[in-house]
Amino acid sequence: DTGVSQDPRHKITKRGQNVTFRCDPISEHNRLYWYRQTLGQGPEFLTYFQNEAQLEKSRLLSDRFSAERPKGSFSTLEIQRTEQGDSAMYLCASRKKTGGESYNEQFFGPGTRLTVL
Amino acid sequence: AQSVTQLDSHVSVSEGTPVLLRCNYSSSYSPSLFWYVQHPNKGLQLLLKYTSAATLVKGINGFEAEFKKSETSFHLTKPSAHMSDAAEYFCVVSPAWFGNEKLTFGTGTRLTIIP
């Protein structure tokens, strides 16, 4: 299967600890997105990359959050000093952006469920 | 600014009967509209998309949606429900000018199929 993969699928941590999630997009996709989904809500946009460049960050992304895509392939999302309010599903998506074509769908991974105790 | 309102948080239908999931949108720009489905423990999957071409959009698995600008609606329908349709459905809006970057999701509608 060559879809978007995320690791780990589940993470339980104690408040104040740091956590890091990984996303591997579909190989030819140059755009990568992170979303957060809390219980009973739809996903909310956090940030996205064009290759290795981070092009936009949501106001939801506090200073404790950092995302990287160092070689334009996989991406990591780190949360420092986790809080209980960070408990959520973190979703990664990717798509191929070519020229003026803007409507290619985003392909989503299965998500990483974070529980902060 | 853009937003979507999914009018029903939960819909139950019997297998073989029609499905209607309602969505109203608000957008300062001409919108692109999407429906995504989320099965338990699986990633979000695109069902269909409206991008200012035909107002009646056909998607996968027999679903379709109609864009009605006068009503600011984009309701999802299927003539005959199947047990495998049980899932969470999200209506999504994006300004057409920005293409597919700034996706704004609704809160979701959980579809239950009664055998």
Side-chain angles (χ1 to χ4, degrees):
Chain A
D1 189 296
T2 57
V4 178
S5 62
Q6 294 186 246
D7 184 67
R9 295 291 304 277
H10 304 273
K11 178 70 176 178
I12 299 174
T13 191
K14 293 183 179 179
R15 187 175 54 187
Q17 297 295 305
N18 299 343
V19 295
T20 300
F21 310 140
R22 176 180 171 124
C23 171
D24 287 272
I26 295 171
S27 60
E28 67 268 25
H29 286 187
N30 51 2
R31 292 213 169 178
L32 186 148
Y33 308 80
W34 285 99
Y35 293 83
R36 181 174 68 188
Q37 184 177 17
T38 54
L39 205 60
Q41 300 296 317
E44 296 172 292
F45 170 81
L46 292 178
T47 188
Y48 83 96
F49 293 82
Q50 163 88 4
N51 299 318
E52 67 276 8
Q54 188 172 18
L55 296 188
E56 185 170 352
K57 293 192 292 185
S58 163
R59 284 174 291 180
L60 294 174
L61 215 62
S62 77
D63 291 345
R64 297 184 297 105
F65 288 70
S66 62
E68 295 182 340
R69 195 183 183 196
K71 297 182 179 179
S73 56
F74 72 91
S75 175
T76 58
L77 178 68
E78 181 183 15
I79 309 174
Q80 296 182 328
R81 306 181 301 283
T82 53
E83 302 173 356
Q84 288 185 324
D86 298 330
S87 295
M89 177 77 83
Y90 290 84
L91 297 168
C92 177
S94 70
R95 78 176 186 99
K96 186 174 183 180
K97 174 73 165 71
T98 57
E101 208 288 310
S102 298
Y103 301 118
N104 283 338
E105 69 173 284
Q106 294 184 21
F107 291 82
F108 282 82
T112 294
R113 183 170 294 283
L114 173 65
T115 301
V116 181
L117 302 176
Chain B
Q2 56 187 17
S3 65
V4 289
T5 301
Q6 293 186 241
L7 299 167
D8 306 292
S9 59
H10 192 188
V11 170
S12 294
V13 302
S14 297
E15 189 176 15
T17 65
V19 175
L20 170 64
L21 305 184
R22 299 182 294 165
C23 172
N24 287 112
Y25 71 90
S26 173
S27 178
S28 302
Y29 304 94
S30 294
S32 296
L33 291 158
F34 311 83
W35 277 97
Y36 278 83
V37 61
Q38 188 174 38
H39 291 275
N41 299 316
K42 291 190 177 181
L44 286 156
Q45 182 183 21
L46 181 69
L47 278 178
L48 49 79
K49 60 186 178 186
Y50 165 77
T51 55
S52 76
T55 56
L56 181 62
V57 181
K58 294 187 183 299
I60 62 172
N61 300 334
F63 285 94
E64 63 181 40
E66 185 172 8
F67 174 71
K68 292 187 176 181
K69 186 176 180 178
S70 61
E71 299 176 10
T72 61
S73 70
F74 190 58
H75 301 333
L76 182 70
T77 60
K78 182 174 181 177
S80 177
H82 191 273
M83 293 301 295
S84 61
D85 295 329
E88 188 90 18
Y89 291 79
F90 293 95
C91 182
V92 182
V93 65
S94 169
W97 188 67
F98 288 108
N100 206 349
E101 258 62 70
K102 292 178 178 290
L103 299 184
T104 299
F105 284 75
T107 52
T109 297
R110 180 166 299 277
L111 177 63
T112 299
I113 310 298
I114 303 166

